[in-house]
Amino acid sequence: GLFTTRGKFLETHAIRDEWNSIVGYMHVDEIRETIKPFFLRRLKEEVAKELPEKIFQNVYVNLSPAERKVYNAIKDRSHSITEESEAITAVLRARQFCDAPVLVDEYPEFGSKYEACMEMLEEVIGNGHKVLVFSMFEQMVDRLYVAFEKNGWKSLKVTGKTKKKDRPAIARQFNEDPTIDICVMDEAGA
């Protein structure tokens, strides 16, 4: 009852591509503020004191010349946009390309960032560590899951489509099963 009908909500907040598929949402801060009283947010320090501090390591990956050409075409197209919804879609498309060029129709490969990620995973998993991999895009999670399995890494996947009742068992399996190397998830699954 917080929002009107699903149709009205999507009409107001959904960003759609040229095929009318939902590719993102706008006015997210407004939505977040509306639902805020109904969510309990706890900090890691309050519930999982045994976890170590996060270690951030920025890794800069240059685009290949072919990737740069496609990215520039996406960027150049966005300069001619006049509608807000088109602009948001253009930004989302650029973000998808930066996540993995394969998510954009014009480019058939995972790209440079994927290659750098795989190299880092080889080292980390080779040293006996487990890895959580996050992506903003569910379709990227699906592709990574398949790629990790092909690479011989036993993986788990959690997306927004994963039933909430199944998530604790997946987390337990990741934590307790020594054969699991990676859990890949999107932000809706996290």
Side-chain angles (χ1 to χ4, degrees):
L2 292 176
F3 302 101
T4 55
T5 65
R6 181 177 191 271
K8 281 279 190 200
F9 177 85
L10 293 175
E11 187 179 299
T12 305
H13 299 290
I15 301 167
R16 297 182 182 271
D17 63 14
E18 57 269 20
W19 300 283
N20 206 30
S21 296
I22 297 173
V23 295
Y25 295 91
M26 55 188 152
H27 314 296
V28 175
D29 289 337
E30 178 183 307
I31 297 167
R32 189 176 291 122
E33 199 58 39
T34 303
I35 64 174
K36 188 176 180 179
F38 301 97
F39 277 88
L40 172 64
R41 182 175 172 121
R42 297 176 294 173
L43 300 176
K44 178 189 74 163
E45 301 85 36
E46 298 169 345
V47 293
K49 295 176 171 78
E50 72 280 0
L51 289 177
E53 288 298 312
K54 289 181 190 174
I55 298 171
F56 290 94
Q57 178 182 0
N58 293 324
V59 177
Y60 297 95
V61 180
N62 291 320
L63 296 175
S64 71
E67 290 170 328
R68 172 68 56 199
K69 183 178 178 183
V70 174
Y71 181 79
N72 285 338
I74 292 169
K75 185 179 70 172
D76 292 345
R77 257 190 313 235
S78 67
H79 291 299
S80 63
I81 292 173
T82 57
E83 298 292 321
E84 180 184 2
S85 62
E86 288 177 10
I88 293 169
T89 300
V91 168
L92 184 62
R93 233 164 133 65
R95 288 179 73 182
Q96 285 176 312
F97 188 86
C98 288
D99 194 20
V102 73
L103 298 179
V104 177
D105 296 337
E106 293 93 348
Y107 204 83
E109 300 170 13
F110 268 112
S112 303
K113 192 173 180 183
Y114 168 80
E115 295 301 327
C117 176
M118 293 301 274
E119 286 176 23
M120 289 188 293
L121 290 174
E122 291 274 353
E123 181 180 338
V124 172
I125 293 170
N127 287 328
H129 297 285
K130 292 180 175 238
V131 180
L132 290 173
V133 176
F134 295 92
S135 175
M136 180 178 170
F137 304 103
E138 183 179 336
Q139 65 267 43
M140 184 61 180
V141 169
D142 293 337
R143 289 172 188 258
L144 286 174
Y145 177 77
V146 170
F148 294 159
E149 290 286 317
K150 281 183 181 175
N151 204 51
W153 296 322
K154 189 136 170 44
S155 305
L156 299 170
K157 173 174 74 166
V158 181
T159 69
K161 291 179 182 171
T162 305
K163 294 177 182 169
K164 295 208 185 304
K165 67 178 181 67
D166 296 336
R167 294 178 188 193
I170 294 170
R172 207 170 20 263
Q173 183 182 9
F174 178 75
N175 289 327
E176 296 172 4
D177 185 341
T179 67
I180 302 293
D181 299 306
I182 301 175
C183 184
V184 61
M185 54 182 45
D186 65 10
E187 56 184 28

